[in-house]
Amino acid sequence: MNAYKLLIVDDDKLVAWSLSRDLEGDDCNVKVAPDGESALTMFKEMEPDVVLLDLKLPGIDGLQVLRLIRKVSKDPIIIMMTAYATVQTAVEAIQLGATDFIKKPFSHDELMMILERALQREELTREIASMRSELKQKYGIKKIVGDSPAMQKVFELIRRIAASDATTVLISGESGTGKDLAAKAIHYESRRFKHAFMAMNCGSLPDTLLESELFGHEKGAFTDAKALKKGLFELADKGTVLLDEIGDASPSLQVKLLRFIEEKTFKRIGGSKDIEVDVRIIAATNRSLKKMMKAGHFREDLYYRLQVIPVELPTLRERREDIPPLCLHFIDRFNREFGKCVRGVSEEAMKVLERYSWPGNIRELKNVLERVMILESEQEIHLHHLPLELNLSQEVTSVTQDISLPSGGASLSGVEKALLEQALEHTGGNQSQAAQLLRISRHALRYKMKKYNLMA
């Protein structure tokens, strides 16, 4: 056992002396208090890591001392000692905050085993608390980049949802807008952050497997069910479950989800017992559930049950002022990951990034910067570092915006041929890229190339 500050509270001088001698031999800093009053004084002075507390004491008894200690601090390990142990007193001591209970007389080995077990449990508890604190800092609102008015509205909504008792939330937005980050922010900003956050993509598994993952199954429920399995809803009790791409949920799963949301109970597959849990469900989708509902592909009752608190995430093209800070965020991240020292983005390159339409939103911006920082070695990202499609899209947009009809008129076929030639020249003859620039299919491009004798 490592060195700890330890307070022994026992009016039996022989027991106190024996414990003190044995534990000091284990490199512990030990002090002894003969009664409850002096124990409280010593406790405040030395702030011990461990307290060995006798139940029967002159003056105030051990349970009262335990109550008073726990009012001062929740941290120390408290082991109750008594020769008069009963189930009732043991239960009461644990309820008041005792870590464990040992019956007198006990051997040194017995005590050391209980102490080691308590210390390991305490260390594990502190590690879990530390991890939760790190997750709260990592996924809180402050870690989501966005200074634009659109994102400030989203942040305010997340704060209100997190502080509420709302058990269903619907987050919608295009692919790559950060729906998973918004869901985690809601969880880690809420009182539920001490409990599990679990996520499942509704389109990632066959219907039967998905149902098993969410609700669990009993042993023998089906051929491969060799043991009982708890589902995500059961494992995330008092926490949060993110159902990503809820629009991909099958009709049968939609029915089960609706029942669970309304009743807060479910049955494992093959089970007959109702299991009650307290879970916040966050559903996310990049599809229009309203259109799916009108088309008969999504249940109306489930839609309105999920739609109680909607969160709509803006696209990146709707918050272009967030592109510079997002770039700095990703550059800082990849500098750490790749051991680079990129300072930022040149003014010319930033203009291109701000004008690009970003159909893949933040995820696409992140991927572009990651690719550049892996392949390039300069300390600033310049225009020539950016992928070809970003530069070409700017040029084609500029060309089409500058086209004006001459007073004498112009041949439409001539203009079309000129644009084809420019697109092919810009892409070095790459037909797929040229078709992408002109917003047509490769088949249509080849047809027009043949029409104007542009085939090599």
Side-chain angles (χ1 to χ4, degrees), residues 394-403 419 422 426:
Q394 305 296 313
E395 292 177 19
V396 170
T397 301
S398 176
V399 168
T400 54
Q401 288 176 344
D402 291 342
I403 290 177
L419 284 174
Q422 285 185 54
H426 281 311

Side-chain angles (χ1 to χ4, degrees), residues 345-411:
V345 181
S346 71
E347 185 178 346
E348 189 179 25
M350 184 59 76
K351 286 180 180 178
V352 170
L353 294 174
E354 289 177 328
R355 291 172 184 166
Y356 182 60
S357 61
W358 298 110
N361 292 292
I362 301 171
R363 185 183 295 120
E364 185 182 6
L365 174 62
K366 170 182 169 289
N367 292 342
V368 165
L369 293 171
E370 183 175 12
R371 176 171 44 175
V372 170
M373 291 186 65
I374 288 174
L375 298 177
E376 306 299 338
S377 58
E378 294 185 40
Q379 293 188 345
E380 189 174 53
I381 296 174
H382 294 281
L383 193 59
H384 64 274
H385 294 142
L386 299 179
L388 183 64
E389 60 266 23
L390 267 68
N391 286 305
L392 292 179
S393 67
Q394 305 296 313
E395 292 177 19
V396 170
T397 301
S398 176
V399 168
T400 54
Q401 288 176 344
D402 291 342
I403 290 177
S404 59
L405 186 67
S407 57
S411 165

Side-chain angles (χ1 to χ4, degrees), residues 9-300:
V9 187
D10 200 318
D11 61 330
D12 188 322
K13 293 182 180 180
L14 182 60
V15 171
W17 173 82
S18 177
L19 287 172
S20 178
R21 179 198 61 188
D22 291 343
L23 292 169
E24 281 179 341
D26 288 302
D27 296 326
C28 286
N29 177 14
V30 180
K31 287 191 175 182
V32 176
D35 53 57
E37 288 83 355
S38 58
L40 292 170
T41 301
M42 287 187 183
F43 180 84
K44 293 174 183 177
E45 290 174 354
M46 73 178 294
E47 298 180 349
D49 302 299
V50 181
V51 179
L52 296 180
L53 177 60
D54 193 28
L55 186 64
K56 298 292 183 180
L57 292 169
I60 57 176
D61 66 12
L63 289 180
Q64 184 62 17
V65 173
L66 173 60
R67 287 190 187 93
L68 295 171
I69 285 176
R70 283 305 184 210
K71 285 183 179 180
V72 176
S73 175
K74 303 292 184 184
D75 293 335
I77 294 168
I78 301 179
I79 310 293
M80 299 299 296
M81 307 181 294
T82 182
Y84 311 96
T86 65
V87 172
Q88 183 178 353
T89 54
V91 169
E92 187 178 359
I94 298 299
Q95 288 176 340
L96 289 172
T99 310
D100 213 328
F101 209 98
I102 189 168
K103 185 177 179 181
K104 293 179 178 179
F106 50 81
S107 67
H108 176 70
D109 289 342
E110 284 180 284
L111 177 60
M112 294 306 295
M113 183 177 69
I114 287 177
L115 278 173
E116 287 287 356
R117 185 174 63 198
L119 289 167
Q120 288 173 3
R121 189 163 60 236
E122 184 68 16
E123 185 177 357
L124 181 60
T125 300
R126 288 175 181 171
E127 286 178 1
I128 291 172
S130 176
M131 288 173 60
R132 285 173 176 159
S133 178
E134 288 176 8
L135 287 171
K136 186 177 176 66
Q137 291 179 1
K138 183 177 180 180
Y139 294 115
I141 294 178
K142 292 181 180 179
K143 288 298 182 180
I144 302 179
V145 180
D147 298 323
S148 62
M151 285 306 296
Q152 291 304 312
K153 289 180 181 178
V154 170
F155 294 156
E156 179 58 27
L157 186 53
I158 286 175
R159 290 188 186 95
R160 291 185 180 184
I161 294 170
S164 75
D165 294 323
T167 54
T168 53
V169 181
L170 178 62
I171 302 177
S172 55
E174 290 185 6
S175 179
T177 50
K179 295 184 290 294
D180 58 331
L181 289 180
K184 288 176 181 176
I186 290 172
H187 173 76
Y188 288 106
E189 294 287 340
S190 74
R191 293 185 295 272
R192 296 177 181 266
F193 86 95
K194 293 182 180 179
H195 303 281
F197 175 89
M198 309 196 82
M200 177 60 65
N201 189 309
C202 295
S204 63
L205 293 172
D207 196 34
T208 51
L209 287 178
L210 184 59
E211 186 178 340
S212 174
E213 288 296 316
L214 292 175
F215 299 104
H217 61 249
E218 299 288 345
K219 181 180 179 180
F222 46 85
T223 305
D224 294 326
K226 295 181 171 57
L228 180 148
K229 177 183 177 179
K230 293 183 178 181
L232 262 62
F233 290 135
E234 196 168 351
L235 294 171
D237 188 23
K238 297 182 178 62
T240 304
V241 172
L242 169 61
L243 299 178
D244 203 5
E245 302 308 336
I246 189 68
D248 294 334
S250 68
S252 63
L253 182 60
Q254 290 180 36
V255 172
K256 292 180 173 67
L257 287 174
L258 178 64
R259 178 182 178 274
F260 171 65
I261 290 171
E262 290 182 338
E263 300 179 9
K264 297 291 185 262
T265 62
F266 65 94
K267 292 182 178 71
R268 299 191 192 110
I269 297 174
S272 57
K273 176 185 174 184
D274 278 333
I275 299 170
E276 184 174 357
V277 293
D278 172 21
V279 172
R280 171 179 275 161
I281 293 180
I282 301 179
T285 181
N286 61 7
R287 304 165 69 181
S288 172
L289 295 186
K290 192 170 186 179
K291 289 181 180 178
M292 291 180 66
M293 178 189 70
K294 290 180 178 179
H297 300 310
F298 198 85
R299 290 184 65 94
E300 183 176 356

Side-chain angles (χ1 to χ4, degrees), residues 304-316:
Y304 286 115
R305 196 66 186 81
L306 294 173
Q307 183 73 6
V308 175
I309 303 183
V311 180
E312 178 73 33
L313 295 185
T315 62
L316 189 52

